[in-house]
Structures are given as structure tokens and as C-alpha cells.
Amino acid sequence: MPNLSVSATGILQPARQLESPNQNARPPQCSIDLLVIHGISLPAGKFGGTCIDELFTNCLDPAQDPSFSELCHLKVSTHLLIRRDGELVQYVPFLRRAWHAGESSFQCRECCNDFSIGIELEGTDETPYDDAQYDALGEVAALLMQTYPGITPQTTVGHCDIAPERKTDPGPAFDWPRLRATIAQHRLD
């Protein structure tokens, strides 16, 4: 993977940029100090294709799959998607608020979208994530920790940790020790 960098406006290079309309300004004086890992596949359990892009850009066609009728009207986004092959797609600049966490809480702080960065991994709770995804996520997370020092390994959590009544992702298939080791490796490089 080419060297990653984050611009002053929160754009990750060389990620593919596909802007989501589902974003807004963070609250004034709000520091970024939480990294939330998600898992997504559309349709459920299927990888590849354009459906994730379509969901985050409000273009998801409900005729493509019966499950999409529940999703096509949602206004959601994430900062970054890491596909199975490690491809990076950025929908929202890191300095802006993406709509990824929903009703959520971390360490008695509500509204995690205000102070977090959301990263979606293409996958499911039960399917092991790909090596390329761990490599890309470790490198991105290390860069985000350098760029936004409030983010640490201790403030890198799953969606299940901030919304346990509603969410299970990234699920039991996600290897947290592997991610932490990969982050540590990239922080030393």
C-alpha cells in the first residue's frame, strides 16, 4: 500500500473519494478521540459490488434485494470503508461528523458521532476478515493516532462496544489482538 497521509482538511490519501451527503460539522471545540470499527456487507453476507457505496450516497435501489427496502431510506455514512482486498474508500473527511454510530455512548459520553471516526470493514460478524483489511486498518489506525492524538489503542472500539443493545459488529470473527499488534507495528515504522 502506498504511503498514507491525512490532509489538513481530513482527507486520506490515496483513498478513493466518494462524498456522502450524510455528514455535518462536528460540535465546536469537540476533539476527535474515539475510533469505532464497524462491519458491513450488502446484501448481507455478500461482498464486492457497489451497494455499500450506494447506501452511503443515498442511491441504494430497493429493487436490488428484498432487504434493501428497510435500508434505502436511511441517511447514514462512515468516514472510511476498507474492502476485502484492502481498498480504501473515504465518504466523509475525518474533520467532519459522519453518521455511523447512531444512538451510542462511550465512557459516559453520548452521541459518539460527535467525537469519533468510523471505519467500516466489508465483512460479517461470523466471517473472518481478510489479511489485507487488517494490514490496511492497522496502518490507517496508526496514522489516525498520530494525526489525532486523542485516539489511542484504548479508545479504538467496536460498534458493539458503544451501542451494545443494538449492534454486534464487527463481531466475534474480528481479531482484536491482531489489530492491536498491527497498529503497534505501524506506530514503530
Side-chain angles (χ1 to χ4, degrees), residues 5-151:
S5 63
V6 176
S7 75
T9 57
I11 301 294
L12 179 67
Q13 291 298 333
R16 178 168 60 94
Q17 301 296 312
L18 183 60
E19 187 172 3
S20 173
N22 307 322
Q23 59 174 294
N24 57 359
R26 292 182 187 272
Q29 314 304 316
C30 189
S31 64
I32 299 169
D33 54 18
L34 181 66
L35 179 59
V36 181
I37 310 301
H38 302 260
I40 188 171
S41 60
L42 288 177
K46 296 194 176 156
F47 307 135
T50 61
C51 294
I52 297 172
D53 290 345
E54 293 165 8
L55 174 67
F56 293 143
T57 57
N58 301 337
C59 297
L60 190 63
D61 180 359
Q64 289 184 64
D65 188 271
S67 67
F68 291 177
S69 63
E70 300 172 12
L71 303 174
C72 66
H73 301 292
L74 295 177
K75 303 295 184 204
V76 294
S77 61
T78 191
H79 290 95
L80 191 68
L81 167 68
I82 302 177
R83 294 201 170 270
R84 301 295 292 180
D85 62 1
E87 179 194 11
L88 303 172
V89 183
Q90 187 171 25
Y91 302 94
V92 177
F94 297 130
L95 293 181
R96 305 252 318 146
R97 179 170 44 194
W99 304 347
H100 63 95
E103 187 177 330
S104 54
S105 175
F106 181 72
Q107 296 180 343
C108 300
R109 294 167 66 197
E110 303 291 321
C111 302
C112 292
N113 285 339
D114 291 352
F115 54 91
S116 67
I117 289 174
I119 298 180
E120 295 275 358
L121 298 175
E122 186 177 30
T124 70
D125 286 8
E126 297 80 26
T127 305
Y129 292 89
D130 194 277
D131 291 344
Q133 291 178 292
Y134 284 105
D135 292 342
L137 179 57
E139 188 172 352
V140 168
L143 176 62
L144 292 174
M145 289 175 192
Q146 177 184 342
T147 307
Y148 308 105
I151 297 175

